[in-house]
Amino acid sequence: MLKFYLTIILAILATIALIIADVSAIAFIALFIIVSVIIFLGVIKIEMQFFAKSLCRGDGTKQEVAITFDDGPHNNTLKILDILDKYSVKAAFFLIGKNADEKPDIVKEIINRGHIIGNHSYYHKGTFDIQSRKKMISELTKTNNTIKSITGKDNKLFRPPFGITNPIVGNAIKKMKLISIGWSVRSLDTSIKDPGKVCSRVYKRIKPGSVILLHDTTKDIDIILENIIKYLKNNNYKIVSLRDMFGTKFDI
Ligand SMILES: [Zn+2]
């Protein structure tokens, strides 16, 4: 939240300076637009760390990347797990609590095969970010309870739905002592229909330390995943778990 507070303080100071300088209304409008754009980008771009400290990429010192999946468990998840096993890759799955309640066996399978899981809200509605902090905490707790009931483990990881953060999300993360996990490579696999285009987009953006965002729910996720793994291996990238990438920051 430091960046958010700093922006507000600077905006107030700039407003006072403009009042003292006795400038025209256009200057105030320009300032308002600039501050609004900065705050808007802070809301939609989790990697800006505007409202919550999020782990979005490794330090980039090693030729390694991590692969993550959102929105499962889903009927595709088992296919994904088989491909990950085929290449001995460990990934992370951020689960929608409602889906986990409906498919507990798949959640167990994710854990049994050595992958990491985390909370990705319970309902994953578009209104997640605008509910009260109390309701948000209750929703996140509901998913943590589901994870605990299936796996027996306390969950500390959270990936904000749609990667959106704001003061309410930031406060809920802090209050629940969650570790927020973002990404640095957004595949757009839920909106780009052609698997080849999704892969090209990912290849262009991959760097040492990248955290790749994919979704269990994507129709051709098996093709996309296998191609990305092959590309990474051919380009001498090591695919590591989030735990290996973030070390002590990931102390759960
Ligand atoms: Zn999602």
Side-chain angles (χ1 to χ4, degrees):
M1 295 277 271
L2 191 65
K3 286 185 182 174
F4 173 61
Y5 292 137
L6 210 60
T7 304
I8 297 297
I9 290 167
L10 288 174
I12 292 167
L13 292 175
T15 307
I16 293 168
L18 291 179
I19 292 168
I20 293 168
D22 196 19
V23 293
S24 72
I26 294 169
F28 289 94
I29 294 168
L31 176 66
F32 177 77
I33 291 171
I34 290 167
V35 172
S36 302
V37 168
I38 293 171
I39 292 176
F40 176 72
L41 289 174
V43 168
I44 62 166
K45 289 191 162 285
I46 191 168
E47 62 270 31
M48 280 176 67
Q49 319 270 343
F50 214 69
F51 300 100
K53 223 175 154 193
S54 299
L55 300 176
C56 297
R57 57 167 62 87
D59 60 16
T61 54
K62 291 182 200 155
Q63 184 87 350
E64 52 186 34
V65 303
I67 298 178
T68 65
F69 295 89
D70 282 7
D71 297 358
H74 182 269
N75 291 337
N76 287 338
T77 309
L78 291 176
K79 282 195 287 192
I80 295 171
L81 292 174
D82 287 346
I83 294 169
L84 294 172
D85 277 355
K86 182 175 163 187
Y87 294 94
S88 303
V89 169
K90 297 298 177 206
F93 291 80
F94 292 92
L95 309 177
I96 295 176
K98 190 170 169 292
N99 296 353
D101 265 332
E102 285 165 8
K103 299 184 189 319
D105 291 346
I106 298 181
V107 178
K108 280 183 194 154
E109 198 60 27
I110 296 171
I111 290 291
N112 289 343
R113 300 213 204 174
H115 304 288
I116 286 168
I117 58 173
N119 186 333
H120 190 47
S121 80
Y122 191 85
Y123 300 104
H124 201 272
K125 285 188 181 163
T127 51
F128 174 83
D129 314 287
I130 52 170
Q131 59 190 329
S132 69
R133 189 183 74 162
K134 197 176 164 198
K135 281 190 177 164
M136 190 179 286
I137 287 175
S138 152
E139 178 171 345
L140 293 175
T141 303
K142 194 168 161 66
T143 298
N144 276 356
N145 290 343
T146 292
I147 290 173
K148 173 109 183 178
S149 73
I150 298 170
T151 67
K153 289 179 185 169
D154 289 316
N155 173 65
K156 280 284 166 205
L157 301 181
F158 171 55
R159 173 167 275 165
F162 317 105
I164 287 177
T165 54
N166 62 24
I168 310 166
V169 178
N171 271 320
I173 288 171
K174 211 169 172 185
K175 178 91 180 165
M176 292 182 71
K177 296 189 172 69
L178 295 170
I179 300 170
S180 173
I181 308 286
W183 56 75
S184 61
V185 177
R186 191 172 206 165
S187 64
L188 296 184
D189 57 339
T190 53
S191 47
I192 301 173
K193 300 289 170 227
D194 178 355
K197 284 187 183 158
V198 174
C199 291
S200 308
R201 181 185 158 84
V202 171
Y203 302 160
K204 271 186 225 154
R205 288 165 173 78
I206 283 172
K207 291 180 198 155
S210 288
V211 174
I212 303 169
L213 167 66
L214 298 168
H215 292 82
D216 298 46
T217 48
T218 299
K219 186 172 158 276
D220 294 311
I221 189 62
D222 46 343
I223 299 167
I224 293 168
L225 175 62
E226 189 150 21
N227 283 337
I228 291 174
I229 292 175
K230 282 181 186 164
Y231 174 87
L232 291 170
K233 293 202 180 262
N234 288 340
N235 287 277
N236 300 316
Y237 277 97
K238 191 174 172 200
I239 307 169
V240 298
S241 74
L242 289 178
R243 193 185 306 277
D244 289 338
M245 179 168 278
F246 293 117
T248 50
K249 285 184 207 159
F250 199 75
D251 206 7
I252 53 168

